[in-house]
Amino acid sequence: MLRSPRSAAAFAALLSLAACGGGDASDKAATDTAATAIPDVQIPELSLATLQEVTKELSSDAYEGRAPGTPGEEKTVAYIIKKYQEAGLQPGNNGQWTQDVPLVEITAKNATPLSFTGGKTPVTAQYAKDYVAFSWRVQPKTAIKDSDVVFVGYGINAPEKGWNDYAGLDVKGKTVVVLVNDPDWQTKETKGEFNGRAMTYYGRWSYKYEEAARQGAAAVLIVHDTEPAAYGWNVVESSNTGTQYLAESKDGGAKETVANGWIQLAKAKELFASAGQDFDKLRDAAKVKGFKSVALTGVKANFSFDNEIAKKMSRNVIGVLPGAKRPDEYVLYTGHWDHLGRCTPVAGDDICNGAVDNASGIAGLVTLAQAFKTAGAPDRSIVFLAVTAEESGLLGSKYYAENPIFPLAQTVGGVNMDALNAVGPAKDIVVVGGGKSELDAYVEKLAKMSDRVIKAEPTPEKGFYYRSDHFSFAKLGVPMFNFGSGNDLIVGGVEAGKKASEDYEKNRYHAPGDEYEAITNWDGMMSDLRLYYAAGRMLAMTDAWPNWVEGDEFRAARDKSRAGK
Ligand SMILES: [Zn+2]
């Protein structure tokens, strides 16, 4: 599970996750259509012994915390292949068990201050303290020189909403300044053009960078503001000043901007004032549809830094169980095998074993593979994808989704497993990103089957849906489940659930204490795994192609990918 700026609260949030089951009345027709197509499925006995054996093995010290590119990777990949073979899967990459994932590490060095000249008064922002920047282009030096500056509001181009902050604008070679989050983030409800306080992908920093790049901007600077960002400047600074990790693209990142970065709110205000503009006024104006971007006329941006570049090869592991009737249609199970490797020692222990995060998810993949094989192949094929480099930014899943072995247009949907429930069986189910796709109807059925209640995601404004491997697929149109136990435990209720998840987050999350011996309850994992089995089996037995609800940011990608079918 990803750490900050996705925040150390990720685990607590997952366990306190909740869902909205459903969307509003306008989604109902789509949901009903999907509901009629959901088949009944039998859930076979799942092997607790396998779940425990795989979790124990992968989280043992011999694997050194499973960092990509280390001897720990060699052992991990070999072990997963062995377990896939034993489970009766076939190699998933044209006879091979693995897909190479080329990784690049880029570290900015010798960064200059960011200076804005040409305004009423020069404005200087110090690196790390007032601004941060890095490059996704694999090149030794990054320089922004005398670049015009344009305020583009939220920096959103959403054709399905008729919203385009770049309308009529040419930002080629320019530096765009954007607001974090999306225009209706202050709304109390989770309804509205951009889902109210729930974050859409248009609100995420990665979207801001991607859209600026599509528009041809040289640089993008996101104005930091703690509330809409959901984290302080300290998180922005620590996440953006060290090494940045990429999956290598063939063009070396030529399609990216020259530089991505953030600027402190106070500095942004100084910058706007130097151009004779009022930041607060423009920020308010940017919330309204039809907002016209504003050039900070006369102001030029300048900064530069060197890039230290290191490359290494890692691997995704892929096994497949061919479908009995429609083998060229695929249901995905994903989980990340990587973890943090050697880390800050606690009481002399410097191995971040990652037992829950995410040896448990890989153990889940193997356990489900066995169960599917034993129960007999479903109509559609099942792909078991163990991805690398999730902890460095969802890189293995992103690489697979952009270079799929099985076409995404033929991929029905899937289930991502990241840090299974180690705190005990729950009375509730929380869906992260509920209300977005027709998969909600499946979760409703699963809740009925398991006698659990669906609860709303408690903090949709934090955008957790965009922070684990399922998102790599969602972004390209494939609907993916992200659900699991909420906090309301069968034994001890909400109080016990909160206590247990807070205890994990404080004492073991991304720390050497996330060890096999610390997992004292396996019943919660087993009950969630049964639901994950059923979810995948349903998708593999229906002939439906679940889609995103009308107006969702990922629907266009799905429609486009399915159009040729
Ligand atoms: Zn993690």
Side-chain angles (χ1 to χ4, degrees):
M1 187 180 295
L2 273 178
R3 58 177 144 186
S4 61
R6 301 89 182 180
S7 125
F11 183 80
L14 191 67
L15 286 181
S16 58
L17 329 149
C20 92
D24 52 26
S26 65
D27 307 335
K28 200 162 183 319
T31 307
D32 284 351
T33 318
T36 56
I38 304 174
D40 292 319
V41 297
Q42 298 293 316
I43 305 173
E45 181 111 28
L46 304 180
S47 171
L48 173 62
T50 298
L51 186 70
Q52 291 178 327
E53 179 202 331
V54 177
T55 306
K56 185 175 186 180
E57 178 69 19
L58 288 175
S59 63
S60 65
D61 282 355
Y63 288 72
E64 298 180 83
R66 304 186 306 279
T70 67
E73 163 161 351
E74 297 302 318
K75 292 190 71 133
T76 301
V77 168
Y79 181 74
I80 297 171
I81 292 172
K82 178 170 152 257
K83 299 315 280 185
Y84 276 5
Q85 279 170 328
E86 287 172 6
L89 299 184
Q90 294 180 8
N93 182 11
N94 305 301
Q96 310 278 317
W97 288 102
T98 58
Q99 174 187 41
D100 284 347
V101 180
L103 300 177
V104 189
E105 301 179 355
I106 305 185
T107 312
K109 296 268 159 98
N110 309 318
T112 66
L114 160 62
S115 68
F116 295 105
T117 55
K120 287 181 192 163
T121 46
V123 175
T124 305
Q126 297 300 325
Y127 180 73
K129 180 170 166 273
D130 305 317
Y131 95 102
V132 292
F134 61 88
S135 182
W136 279 345
R137 289 192 185 187
V138 186
Q139 56 187 22
K141 189 157 177 79
T142 296
I144 296 295
K145 207 169 167 348
D146 291 332
S147 169
D148 289 340
V149 183
V150 188
F151 174 60
V152 293
Y154 285 91
I156 293 170
N157 177 14
E160 77 281 9
K161 299 177 198 296
W163 187 296
N164 185 2
D165 291 322
Y166 288 95
L169 210 57
D170 179 3
V171 296
K172 288 208 172 52
K174 295 178 183 171
T175 295
V176 297
V177 177
V178 303
L179 300 170
V180 68
N181 213 318
D182 57 33
D184 60 5
W185 68 272
Q186 281 161 305
T187 312
K188 283 203 178 61
E189 294 76 39
T190 54
K191 280 179 192 164
E193 186 116 61
F194 291 90
N195 296 355
R197 83 181 156 93
M199 195 187 268
T200 60
Y201 186 52
Y202 298 114
R204 297 279 295 155
W205 49 265
S206 49
Y207 171 79
K208 313 285 183 186
Y209 300 157
E210 289 162 5
E211 189 57 42
R214 280 190 287 269
Q215 301 287 338
V220 51
L221 294 169
I222 302 171
V223 179
H224 176 258
D225 191 355
T226 302
E227 200 189 338
Y231 37 79
W233 179 259
N234 58 324
V235 173
V236 172
E237 185 194 330
S238 64
S239 316
N240 295 285
T241 53
T243 301
Q244 303 297 311
Y245 300 86
L246 304 174
E248 191 172 13
S249 57
K250 289 185 188 81
D251 63 4
K255 285 191 207 70
E256 309 290 351
T257 60
V258 178
N260 297 318
W262 291 71
I263 184 166
Q264 288 261 37
L265 179 61
K267 276 293 159 194
K269 289 185 177 185
E270 272 183 53
L271 160 65
F272 280 55
S274 85
Q277 299 285 353
D278 181 334
F279 176 82
D280 292 328
K281 258 195 200 149
L282 290 181
R283 177 172 57 186
D284 289 345
K287 290 176 189 153
V288 182
K289 198 173 196 164
F291 165 74
K292 288 264 178 300
S293 295
V294 176
L296 303 186
T297 310
V299 176
K300 307 277 185 189
N302 285 280
F303 62 99
S304 69
F305 49 86
D306 301 325
N307 295 307
E308 209 170 82
I309 295 162
K311 297 188 182 188
K312 60 188 174 196
M313 196 58 87
S314 187
R315 280 160 295 172
N316 291 330
V317 187
I318 312 167
V320 64
L321 179 66
K325 287 193 183 152
R326 294 191 300 282
D328 59 347
E329 298 177 3
Y330 306 94
V331 174
L332 269 181
Y333 281 100
T334 56
H336 72 90
W337 62 253
D338 67 298
H339 197 54
L340 306 171
R342 302 258 169 190
C343 55
T344 311
V346 174
D349 180 2
D350 74 341
I351 297 176
C352 272
N353 305 78
V356 169
D357 181 11
N358 184 37
S360 71
I362 298 300
L365 284 180
V366 174
T367 306
L368 292 182
Q370 280 180 347
F372 270 98
K373 180 74 181 174
T374 308
D379 292 355
R380 289 167 157 163
S381 296
I382 311 273
V383 177
F384 296 88
L385 177 59
V387 295
T388 183
E390 188 269 357
E391 303 284 11
S392 339
L394 321 181
L395 301 181
S397 58
K398 183 169 186 269
Y399 188 83
Y400 177 92
E402 290 172 0
N403 305 275
I405 308 296
F406 306 105
L408 296 192
Q410 287 296 105
T411 303
V412 181
V415 180
N416 181 46
M417 295 185 288
D418 189 359
L420 298 185
N421 164 14
V423 302
K427 294 180 241 177
D428 52 2
I429 297 177
V430 171
V431 184
V432 179
K436 294 180 69 61
S437 81
E438 290 166 3
L439 294 184
D440 281 7
Y442 290 72
V443 181
E444 279 161 29
K445 181 162 175 138
L446 293 167
K448 278 200 196 94
M449 281 171 66
S450 58
D451 214 11
R452 295 212 230 173
V453 294
I454 298 175
K455 291 219 188 110
E457 184 180 354
T459 57
E461 63 275 17
K462 291 189 177 171
F464 281 109
Y465 190 75
Y466 311 103
R467 303 181 191 194
S468 188
D469 288 313
H470 54 274
F471 170 63
S472 297
F473 296 93
K475 194 178 165 190
L476 296 179
V478 179
M480 296 284 288
F481 285 109
N482 182 15
F483 71 92
S485 291
N487 259 335
D488 194 359
L489 301 189
I490 288 171
V491 180
V494 172
E495 202 183 324
K498 275 198 171 146
K499 214 175 133 198
S501 53
E502 281 165 14
D503 174 59
Y504 174 81
E505 195 199 335
K506 190 161 158 260
N507 299 312
R508 295 187 293 285
Y509 172 74
H510 282 198
D514 185 0
E515 292 179 329
Y516 179 77
E517 290 71 24
I519 304 175
T520 52
N521 188 311
W522 294 85
D523 297 344
M525 281 196 207
M526 290 297 284
S527 61
D528 280 7
L529 266 184
R530 281 191 279 275
L531 296 187
Y532 298 146
Y533 176 91
R537 189 97 197 170
M538 286 168 179
L539 282 181
M541 294 304 287
T542 174
D543 54 11
W545 286 89
N547 202 342
W548 303 89
V549 299
E550 205 67 62
D552 189 84
E553 69 257 47
F554 305 127
R555 183 163 173 126
R558 179 65 153 187
D559 288 344
K560 192 177 162 213
S561 115
R562 291 288 302 152
K565 297 287 139 192

